[in-house]
Amino acid sequence: ARETVFIKEDKKKIKKVKRKYKNMTMSDETAKKIVRLDTLNSILKTATASVGLVTVIDFFVPDPVLGLDEAALTAITGLLGYASSVVNNKIDDIATSDNEELKMEEITKLSGQLSDVASKVKKSRGNTK
């Protein structure tokens, strides 16, 4: 069963974002978007570090994650790292210009990496049977 997580943005967080980006005239809605994206970015960074650690362990201990080889774990780490950088860049864009649109090159690169991860995971799972 899936549960939705709601993050309450209080006035302190909004003011903190406005001070951090030195833009006290930023709308509360924009600041709330940044708070949410910052939370997502923290999750992506934690996931990147976790998968990266498992990848390093996988080089020394055979198959700590059953069914995934080093190539698949490395691809997943790269994807999470790239997604985090896209979110970080988007936070900066929103803070300075209130621009929420993703650039086509970001979408193309992200979809290419998703495809690469999927094929490496599929190949990895095929190697363990």
Side-chain angles (χ1 to χ4, degrees):
R2 275 191 176 177
E3 292 184 25
T4 305
V5 177
F6 292 99
I7 301 164
K8 185 179 183 222
E9 301 91 4
D10 58 352
K11 289 289 183 185
K12 278 185 177 180
K13 288 181 181 178
I14 291 171
K15 284 182 182 180
K16 185 178 176 182
V17 166
K18 289 180 179 183
R19 279 193 303 269
K20 179 179 178 182
Y21 292 98
K22 298 177 177 110
N23 185 355
M24 296 308 286
T25 59
M26 178 188 302
S27 73
D28 286 357
E29 285 303 311
T30 299
K32 286 178 184 180
K33 289 175 192 171
I34 291 172
V35 168
R36 284 187 231 117
L37 285 172
D38 196 36
T39 302
L40 173 62
N41 199 27
S42 295
I43 292 167
L44 287 170
K45 285 179 181 180
T46 302
T48 303
S50 299
V51 175
L53 179 62
V54 170
T55 304
V56 170
I57 291 170
D58 192 47
F59 282 111
F60 299 106
V61 178
D63 293 326
V65 179
L66 200 56
L68 290 178
D69 64 6
E70 293 85 0
L73 288 169
T74 302
I76 293 168
T77 304
L79 174 66
L80 290 169
Y82 180 72
S84 176
S85 72
V86 168
V87 170
N88 199 39
N89 290 339
K90 207 41 50 197
I91 289 170
D92 291 339
D93 284 351
I94 291 172
T96 57
S97 66
D98 203 20
N99 178 12
E100 300 175 40
E101 295 178 16
L102 284 174
K103 296 179 184 125
M104 193 59 192
E105 67 187 53
E106 293 170 331
I107 295 169
T108 303
K109 187 170 181 182
L110 193 56
S111 64
Q113 285 190 337
L114 279 169
S115 175
D116 184 46
V117 166
S119 66
K120 286 185 179 176
V121 167
K122 187 175 179 181
K123 181 181 174 188
S124 175
R125 297 218 182 241
N127 289 340
T128 60
K129 290 182 179 179

